[in-house]
Amino acid sequence: MSQIEELQSRITLAMARIDAGVSQIAGRANDSAPGPDLSAALEEERRTSAHLEDRLRALRAEHDDEIVALKAELDRSAEIDALKVELATFDQAMGQLDMDLQRLREANEQLRNSNAALRTANENGVGKPRLINKAMLAELEALRAARATEVAEVGVVLAKLKPLLAEANGLPDGEDL
């Protein structure tokens, strides 16, 4: 019970202080009439506020322009990334074509050497089955290398045409035709 009485007395004291503060503020408000200095200061604050609002609008417009420019740059960056992927695919196809062409050259060189050895053996009247087998194997390898080269050439053409066809058909990048 003593706690309630203590709290009640504290609340009463706080209310008295609040009342005294309100009376004091009300007395000051009645004593001071708005003077020309106060009106001039108020007008100055209004001008300053209007100037700051104009500056804020200008900054917002500038910021919006920067955002538009950054979005455009981001779009260009996405286009560059797509072109890099396309270039990597094309480079891979060209690398495969280069390897297959090298294989074809080597197979053709083997075929020429085997045929020259076979011709020499036939000119001497000595037909060697080992040379005939070697020539046939070289010819088969040359045919396989030629086929691989053709496949690689088609791969290069497809790698170049695929983005164009996807764009013409309206397919998103990366989706197969």
Side-chain angles (χ1 to χ4, degrees):
M1 196 66 157
S2 70
Q3 286 182 344
I4 293 175
E5 290 174 6
E6 181 182 334
L7 288 175
Q8 184 178 2
S9 68
R10 288 177 66 188
I11 291 172
T12 305
L13 284 173
M15 293 291 280
R17 281 192 307 227
I18 291 171
D19 188 38
V22 169
S23 297
Q24 189 179 24
I25 291 173
R28 270 194 240 151
N30 290 335
D31 291 344
S32 63
D37 291 338
L38 186 59
S39 295
L42 180 61
E43 188 59 36
E44 180 64 28
E45 285 298 318
R46 285 183 184 154
R47 279 194 301 265
T48 303
S49 177
H51 175 69
L52 289 174
E53 286 176 5
D54 290 342
R55 179 70 180 134
L56 182 61
R57 275 190 222 104
L59 287 173
R60 281 185 183 154
E62 186 179 316
H63 179 68
D64 290 343
D65 292 344
E66 288 176 359
I67 288 175
V68 168
L70 288 174
K71 284 181 181 178
E73 187 176 324
L74 182 62
D75 290 343
R76 283 190 300 272
S77 175
E79 290 172 7
I80 289 171
D81 289 343
L83 288 174
K84 284 180 182 178
V85 168
E86 185 180 331
L87 181 63
T89 303
F90 188 68
D91 283 346
Q92 183 180 6
M94 288 300 291
Q96 182 64 40
L97 178 61
D98 187 43
M99 287 190 313
D100 290 340
L101 283 173
Q102 186 64 30
R103 182 177 164 208
L104 179 62
R105 287 182 190 119
E106 290 171 4
N108 284 336
E109 183 64 30
Q110 287 176 351
L111 183 59
R112 278 193 288 276
N113 292 340
S114 295
N115 285 340
L118 187 58
R119 268 194 307 274
T120 304
N122 282 336
E123 286 175 2
N124 293 335
V126 182
K128 295 183 181 177
R130 182 180 61 80
L131 291 176
I132 294 172
N133 285 341
K134 190 174 177 183
M136 288 179 64
L137 288 175
E139 186 176 356
L140 282 173
E141 178 58 27
L143 289 173
R144 287 185 190 120
R147 170 75 174 121
T149 302
E150 291 169 356
V151 169
E153 286 174 341
V154 169
V156 168
V157 170
L158 283 177
K160 191 65 180 168
L161 287 177
K162 205 170 199 180
L164 296 173
L165 291 174
E167 186 177 304
N169 290 333
L171 294 175
D173 288 338
E175 190 172 315
D176 287 333
L177 297 175

mmCIF file of all heavy atoms in Angstrom, residues 130-165:
data_model
loop_
_atom_site.group_PDB
_atom_site.id
_atom_site.type_symbol
_atom_site.label_atom_id
_atom_site.label_comp_id
_atom_site.label_asym_id
_atom_site.label_seq_id
_atom_site.Cartn_x
_atom_site.Cartn_y
_atom_site.Cartn_z
ATOM 1 N N ARG A 130 51.866 -56.241 -97.232
ATOM 2 C CA ARG A 130 51.982 -55.325 -96.095
ATOM 3 C C ARG A 130 51.831 -53.884 -96.557
ATOM 4 O O ARG A 130 51.160 -53.075 -95.914
ATOM 5 C CB ARG A 130 53.336 -55.532 -95.408
ATOM 6 C CG ARG A 130 53.539 -54.657 -94.180
ATOM 7 C CD ARG A 130 54.902 -54.893 -93.541
ATOM 8 N NE ARG A 130 56.035 -54.585 -94.400
ATOM 9 C CZ ARG A 130 56.523 -53.345 -94.626
ATOM 10 N NH1 ARG A 130 55.962 -52.317 -94.057
ATOM 11 N NH2 ARG A 130 57.566 -53.164 -95.410
ATOM 12 N N LEU A 131 52.424 -53.542 -97.716
ATOM 13 C CA LEU A 131 52.306 -52.187 -98.247
ATOM 14 C C LEU A 131 50.881 -51.887 -98.716
ATOM 15 O O LEU A 131 50.384 -50.774 -98.547
ATOM 16 C CB LEU A 131 53.295 -51.977 -99.401
ATOM 17 C CG LEU A 131 54.769 -51.941 -99.022
ATOM 18 C CD1 LEU A 131 55.628 -51.832 -100.280
ATOM 19 C CD2 LEU A 131 55.035 -50.775 -98.088
ATOM 20 N N ILE A 132 50.227 -52.882 -99.282
ATOM 21 C CA ILE A 132 48.835 -52.696 -99.727
ATOM 22 C C ILE A 132 47.949 -52.442 -98.511
ATOM 23 O O ILE A 132 47.108 -51.531 -98.514
ATOM 24 C CB ILE A 132 48.351 -53.914 -100.543
ATOM 25 C CG1 ILE A 132 49.135 -53.999 -101.857
ATOM 26 C CG2 ILE A 132 46.863 -53.838 -100.807
ATOM 27 C CD1 ILE A 132 48.883 -55.263 -102.650
ATOM 28 N N ASN A 133 48.138 -53.230 -97.451
ATOM 29 C CA ASN A 133 47.353 -53.042 -96.217
ATOM 30 C C ASN A 133 47.625 -51.665 -95.600
ATOM 31 O O ASN A 133 46.705 -50.978 -95.152
ATOM 32 C CB ASN A 133 47.671 -54.139 -95.202
ATOM 33 C CG ASN A 133 47.040 -55.454 -95.569
ATOM 34 O OD1 ASN A 133 46.098 -55.491 -96.352
ATOM 35 N ND2 ASN A 133 47.572 -56.535 -95.019
ATOM 36 N N LYS A 134 48.887 -51.272 -95.615
ATOM 37 C CA LYS A 134 49.250 -49.973 -95.050
ATOM 38 C C LYS A 134 48.610 -48.842 -95.852
ATOM 39 O O LYS A 134 48.110 -47.868 -95.285
ATOM 40 C CB LYS A 134 50.771 -49.833 -95.024
ATOM 41 C CG LYS A 134 51.264 -48.646 -94.260
ATOM 42 C CD LYS A 134 52.780 -48.662 -94.171
ATOM 43 C CE LYS A 134 53.271 -47.436 -93.459
ATOM 44 N NZ LYS A 134 54.722 -47.354 -93.407
ATOM 45 N N ALA A 135 48.590 -48.981 -97.173
ATOM 46 C CA ALA A 135 47.976 -47.970 -98.034
ATOM 47 C C ALA A 135 46.468 -47.898 -97.798
ATOM 48 O O ALA A 135 45.878 -46.813 -97.760
ATOM 49 C CB ALA A 135 48.284 -48.264 -99.497
ATOM 50 N N MET A 136 45.849 -49.055 -97.632
ATOM 51 C CA MET A 136 44.398 -49.072 -97.383
ATOM 52 C C MET A 136 44.068 -48.447 -96.023
ATOM 53 O O MET A 136 43.090 -47.706 -95.902
ATOM 54 C CB MET A 136 43.863 -50.506 -97.471
ATOM 55 C CG MET A 136 43.838 -51.048 -98.903
ATOM 56 S SD MET A 136 43.234 -52.729 -99.018
ATOM 57 C CE MET A 136 41.577 -52.553 -98.462
ATOM 58 N N LEU A 137 44.898 -48.740 -95.024
ATOM 59 C CA LEU A 137 44.668 -48.138 -93.702
ATOM 60 C C LEU A 137 44.846 -46.618 -93.759
ATOM 61 O O LEU A 137 44.079 -45.865 -93.147
ATOM 62 C CB LEU A 137 45.614 -48.744 -92.663
ATOM 63 C CG LEU A 137 45.307 -50.178 -92.232
ATOM 64 C CD1 LEU A 137 46.393 -50.692 -91.294
ATOM 65 C CD2 LEU A 137 43.955 -50.243 -91.555
ATOM 66 N N ALA A 138 45.841 -46.176 -94.506
ATOM 67 C CA ALA A 138 46.055 -44.734 -94.647
ATOM 68 C C ALA A 138 44.884 -44.094 -95.383
ATOM 69 O O ALA A 138 44.438 -42.981 -95.044
ATOM 70 C CB ALA A 138 47.363 -44.465 -95.374
ATOM 71 N N GLU A 139 44.368 -44.785 -96.382
ATOM 72 C CA GLU A 139 43.220 -44.240 -97.122
ATOM 73 C C GLU A 139 41.982 -44.175 -96.224
ATOM 74 O O GLU A 139 41.240 -43.189 -96.242
ATOM 75 C CB GLU A 139 42.946 -45.101 -98.350
ATOM 76 C CG GLU A 139 41.871 -44.515 -99.243
ATOM 77 C CD GLU A 139 41.666 -45.321 -100.516
ATOM 78 O OE1 GLU A 139 42.399 -46.294 -100.757
ATOM 79 O OE2 GLU A 139 40.754 -44.953 -101.257
ATOM 80 N N LEU A 140 41.774 -45.207 -95.417
ATOM 81 C CA LEU A 140 40.641 -45.195 -94.477
ATOM 82 C C LEU A 140 40.781 -44.051 -93.478
ATOM 83 O O LEU A 140 39.800 -43.354 -93.156
ATOM 84 C CB LEU A 140 40.543 -46.527 -93.734
ATOM 85 C CG LEU A 140 39.934 -47.686 -94.514
ATOM 86 C CD1 LEU A 140 40.050 -48.984 -93.707
ATOM 87 C CD2 LEU A 140 38.481 -47.405 -94.844
ATOM 88 N N GLU A 141 41.982 -43.848 -92.972
ATOM 89 C CA GLU A 141 42.209 -42.750 -92.023
ATOM 90 C C GLU A 141 41.949 -41.413 -92.701
ATOM 91 O O GLU A 141 41.388 -40.496 -92.101
ATOM 92 C CB GLU A 141 43.625 -42.819 -91.452
ATOM 93 C CG GLU A 141 43.964 -41.700 -90.495
ATOM 94 C CD GLU A 141 43.038 -41.613 -89.283
ATOM 95 O OE1 GLU A 141 42.454 -42.633 -88.857
ATOM 96 O OE2 GLU A 141 42.880 -40.494 -88.741
ATOM 97 N N ALA A 142 42.362 -41.289 -93.969
ATOM 98 C CA ALA A 142 42.125 -40.046 -94.702
ATOM 99 C C ALA A 142 40.627 -39.811 -94.881
ATOM 100 O O ALA A 142 40.143 -38.682 -94.753
ATOM 101 C CB ALA A 142 42.832 -40.077 -96.047
ATOM 102 N N LEU A 143 39.886 -40.875 -95.155
ATOM 103 C CA LEU A 143 38.432 -40.737 -95.295
ATOM 104 C C LEU A 143 37.783 -40.343 -93.962
ATOM 105 O O LEU A 143 36.885 -39.493 -93.923
ATOM 106 C CB LEU A 143 37.825 -42.040 -95.829
ATOM 107 C CG LEU A 143 38.130 -42.367 -97.290
ATOM 108 C CD1 LEU A 143 37.620 -43.763 -97.634
ATOM 109 C CD2 LEU A 143 37.505 -41.330 -98.209
ATOM 110 N N ARG A 144 38.238 -40.949 -92.869
ATOM 111 C CA ARG A 144 37.705 -40.587 -91.550
ATOM 112 C C ARG A 144 38.023 -39.129 -91.199
ATOM 113 O O ARG A 144 37.187 -38.412 -90.668
ATOM 114 C CB ARG A 144 38.284 -41.515 -90.479
ATOM 115 C CG ARG A 144 37.728 -42.905 -90.512
ATOM 116 C CD ARG A 144 38.253 -43.743 -89.343
ATOM 117 N NE ARG A 144 37.889 -45.122 -89.521
ATOM 118 C CZ ARG A 144 38.743 -46.128 -89.623
ATOM 119 N NH1 ARG A 144 40.049 -45.902 -89.527
ATOM 120 N NH2 ARG A 144 38.321 -47.355 -89.793
ATOM 121 N N ALA A 145 39.248 -38.722 -91.495
ATOM 122 C CA ALA A 145 39.644 -37.337 -91.216
ATOM 123 C C ALA A 145 38.848 -36.366 -92.076
ATOM 124 O O ALA A 145 38.430 -35.293 -91.612
ATOM 125 C CB ALA A 145 41.144 -37.158 -91.451
ATOM 126 N N ALA A 146 38.606 -36.727 -93.325
ATOM 127 C CA ALA A 146 37.799 -35.859 -94.199
ATOM 128 C C ALA A 146 36.381 -35.740 -93.656
ATOM 129 O O ALA A 146 35.788 -34.648 -93.641
ATOM 130 C CB ALA A 146 37.799 -36.410 -95.628
ATOM 131 N N ARG A 147 35.844 -36.849 -93.191
ATOM 132 C CA ARG A 147 34.478 -36.833 -92.623
ATOM 133 C C ARG A 147 34.442 -35.973 -91.358
ATOM 134 O O ARG A 147 33.528 -35.173 -91.161
ATOM 135 C CB ARG A 147 34.059 -38.275 -92.310
ATOM 136 C CG ARG A 147 32.798 -38.402 -91.518
ATOM 137 C CD ARG A 147 31.572 -38.120 -92.357
ATOM 138 N NE ARG A 147 30.394 -38.404 -91.570
ATOM 139 C CZ ARG A 147 29.459 -37.512 -91.298
ATOM 140 N NH1 ARG A 147 29.534 -36.318 -91.801
ATOM 141 N NH2 ARG A 147 28.425 -37.834 -90.568
ATOM 142 N N ALA A 148 35.434 -36.123 -90.495
ATOM 143 C CA ALA A 148 35.490 -35.319 -89.269
ATOM 144 C C ALA A 148 35.631 -33.837 -89.609
ATOM 145 O O ALA A 148 35.034 -32.976 -88.947
ATOM 146 C CB ALA A 148 36.647 -35.779 -88.384
ATOM 147 N N THR A 149 36.384 -33.530 -90.638
ATOM 148 C CA THR A 149 36.534 -32.133 -91.067
ATOM 149 C C THR A 149 35.207 -31.575 -91.560
ATOM 150 O O THR A 149 34.840 -30.442 -91.236
ATOM 151 C CB THR A 149 37.608 -32.026 -92.167
ATOM 152 O OG1 THR A 149 38.832 -32.549 -91.664
ATOM 153 C CG2 THR A 149 37.804 -30.591 -92.601
ATOM 154 N N GLU A 150 34.480 -32.373 -92.327
ATOM 155 C CA GLU A 150 33.166 -31.926 -92.813
ATOM 156 C C GLU A 150 32.215 -31.673 -91.639
ATOM 157 O O GLU A 150 31.477 -30.683 -91.622
ATOM 158 C CB GLU A 150 32.585 -32.967 -93.762
ATOM 159 C CG GLU A 150 33.327 -33.067 -95.084
ATOM 160 C CD GLU A 150 32.912 -34.273 -95.915
ATOM 161 O OE1 GLU A 150 32.090 -35.090 -95.425
ATOM 162 O OE2 GLU A 150 33.414 -34.399 -97.040
ATOM 163 N N VAL A 151 32.235 -32.575 -90.658
ATOM 164 C CA VAL A 151 31.383 -32.405 -89.470
ATOM 165 C C VAL A 151 31.780 -31.135 -88.730
ATOM 166 O O VAL A 151 30.922 -30.362 -88.274
ATOM 167 C CB VAL A 151 31.469 -33.648 -88.557
ATOM 168 C CG1 VAL A 151 30.816 -33.385 -87.206
ATOM 169 C CG2 VAL A 151 30.819 -34.843 -89.231
ATOM 170 N N ALA A 152 33.070 -30.881 -88.601
ATOM 171 C CA ALA A 152 33.539 -29.679 -87.904
ATOM 172 C C ALA A 152 33.138 -28.425 -88.676
ATOM 173 O O ALA A 152 32.745 -27.419 -88.077
ATOM 174 C CB ALA A 152 35.052 -29.720 -87.718
ATOM 175 N N GLU A 153 33.216 -28.473 -90.002
ATOM 176 C CA GLU A 153 32.797 -27.318 -90.815
ATOM 177 C C GLU A 153 31.310 -27.036 -90.610
ATOM 178 O O GLU A 153 30.898 -25.882 -90.471
ATOM 179 C CB GLU A 153 33.097 -27.567 -92.286
ATOM 180 C CG GLU A 153 34.564 -27.472 -92.642
ATOM 181 C CD GLU A 153 34.853 -27.868 -94.085
ATOM 182 O OE1 GLU A 153 34.013 -28.547 -94.712
ATOM 183 O OE2 GLU A 153 35.924 -27.476 -94.572
ATOM 184 N N VAL A 154 30.513 -28.104 -90.597
ATOM 185 C CA VAL A 154 29.079 -27.934 -90.354
ATOM 186 C C VAL A 154 28.859 -27.371 -88.950
ATOM 187 O O VAL A 154 27.996 -26.501 -88.736
ATOM 188 C CB VAL A 154 28.332 -29.278 -90.548
ATOM 189 C CG1 VAL A 154 26.904 -29.198 -90.039
ATOM 190 C CG2 VAL A 154 28.351 -29.683 -92.016
ATOM 191 N N GLY A 155 29.655 -27.820 -87.987
ATOM 192 C CA GLY A 155 29.542 -27.292 -86.621
ATOM 193 C C GLY A 155 29.838 -25.805 -86.561
ATOM 194 O O GLY A 155 29.164 -25.055 -85.847
ATOM 195 N N VAL A 156 30.841 -25.359 -87.319
ATOM 196 C CA VAL A 156 31.173 -23.932 -87.351
ATOM 197 C C VAL A 156 30.021 -23.143 -87.957
ATOM 198 O O VAL A 156 29.614 -22.095 -87.441
ATOM 199 C CB VAL A 156 32.488 -23.692 -88.136
ATOM 200 C CG1 VAL A 156 32.692 -22.214 -88.419
ATOM 201 C CG2 VAL A 156 33.663 -24.236 -87.371
ATOM 202 N N VAL A 157 29.474 -23.657 -89.052
ATOM 203 C CA VAL A 157 28.353 -22.963 -89.703
ATOM 204 C C VAL A 157 27.156 -22.916 -88.761
ATOM 205 O O VAL A 157 26.503 -21.870 -88.620
ATOM 206 C CB VAL A 157 28.000 -23.657 -91.038
ATOM 207 C CG1 VAL A 157 26.705 -23.115 -91.612
ATOM 208 C CG2 VAL A 157 29.137 -23.480 -92.040
ATOM 209 N N LEU A 158 26.872 -24.024 -88.081
ATOM 210 C CA LEU A 158 25.745 -24.047 -87.138
ATOM 211 C C LEU A 158 25.981 -23.110 -85.959
ATOM 212 O O LEU A 158 25.045 -22.447 -85.492
ATOM 213 C CB LEU A 158 25.502 -25.465 -86.636
ATOM 214 C CG LEU A 158 24.787 -26.401 -87.598
ATOM 215 C CD1 LEU A 158 24.680 -27.797 -87.012
ATOM 216 C CD2 LEU A 158 23.412 -25.879 -87.968
ATOM 217 N N ALA A 159 27.214 -23.049 -85.483
ATOM 218 C CA ALA A 159 27.515 -22.152 -84.357
ATOM 219 C C ALA A 159 27.259 -20.705 -84.754
ATOM 220 O O ALA A 159 26.817 -19.899 -83.935
ATOM 221 C CB ALA A 159 28.962 -22.328 -83.906
ATOM 222 N N LYS A 160 27.516 -20.377 -85.988
ATOM 223 C CA LYS A 160 27.289 -19.009 -86.459
ATOM 224 C C LYS A 160 25.809 -18.760 -86.742
ATOM 225 O O LYS A 160 25.294 -17.675 -86.478
ATOM 226 C CB LYS A 160 28.143 -18.762 -87.713
ATOM 227 C CG LYS A 160 28.184 -17.343 -88.126
ATOM 228 C CD LYS A 160 28.876 -16.512 -87.073
ATOM 229 C CE LYS A 160 28.921 -15.060 -87.493
ATOM 230 N NZ LYS A 160 29.301 -14.194 -86.429
ATOM 231 N N LEU A 161 25.108 -19.768 -87.273
ATOM 232 C CA LEU A 161 23.703 -19.599 -87.639
ATOM 233 C C LEU A 161 22.751 -19.705 -86.449
ATOM 234 O O LEU A 161 21.682 -19.099 -86.468
ATOM 235 C CB LEU A 161 23.305 -20.637 -88.686
ATOM 236 C CG LEU A 161 23.840 -20.427 -90.084
ATOM 237 C CD1 LEU A 161 23.411 -21.578 -90.985
ATOM 238 C CD2 LEU A 161 23.365 -19.102 -90.657
ATOM 239 N N LYS A 162 23.118 -20.464 -85.442
ATOM 240 C CA LYS A 162 22.213 -20.713 -84.314
ATOM 241 C C LYS A 162 21.723 -19.421 -83.659
ATOM 242 O O LYS A 162 20.517 -19.253 -83.461
ATOM 243 C CB LYS A 162 22.888 -21.622 -83.299
ATOM 244 C CG LYS A 162 21.933 -22.394 -82.451
ATOM 245 C CD LYS A 162 22.679 -23.435 -81.645
ATOM 246 C CE LYS A 162 21.725 -24.498 -81.173
ATOM 247 N NZ LYS A 162 22.405 -25.514 -80.397
ATOM 248 N N PRO A 163 22.600 -18.457 -83.308
ATOM 249 C CA PRO A 163 22.090 -17.208 -82.713
ATOM 250 C C PRO A 163 21.203 -16.417 -83.674
ATOM 251 O O PRO A 163 20.218 -15.815 -83.267
ATOM 252 C CB PRO A 163 23.354 -16.417 -82.372
ATOM 253 C CG PRO A 163 24.480 -17.376 -82.433
ATOM 254 C CD PRO A 163 24.065 -18.493 -83.311
ATOM 255 N N LEU A 164 21.556 -16.465 -84.949
ATOM 256 C CA LEU A 164 20.753 -15.728 -85.932
ATOM 257 C C LEU A 164 19.372 -16.352 -86.075
ATOM 258 O O LEU A 164 18.362 -15.639 -86.161
ATOM 259 C CB LEU A 164 21.475 -15.707 -87.283
ATOM 260 C CG LEU A 164 22.816 -14.971 -87.311
ATOM 261 C CD1 LEU A 164 23.497 -15.173 -88.651
ATOM 262 C CD2 LEU A 164 22.639 -13.504 -87.002
ATOM 263 N N LEU A 165 19.305 -17.676 -86.124
ATOM 264 C CA LEU A 165 18.021 -18.356 -86.228
ATOM 265 C C LEU A 165 17.186 -18.176 -84.964
ATOM 266 O O LEU A 165 15.975 -17.995 -85.031
ATOM 267 C CB LEU A 165 18.234 -19.840 -86.519
ATOM 268 C CG LEU A 165 18.783 -20.166 -87.909
ATOM 269 C CD1 LEU A 165 19.092 -21.653 -88.018
ATOM 270 C CD2 LEU A 165 17.824 -19.728 -88.987
#
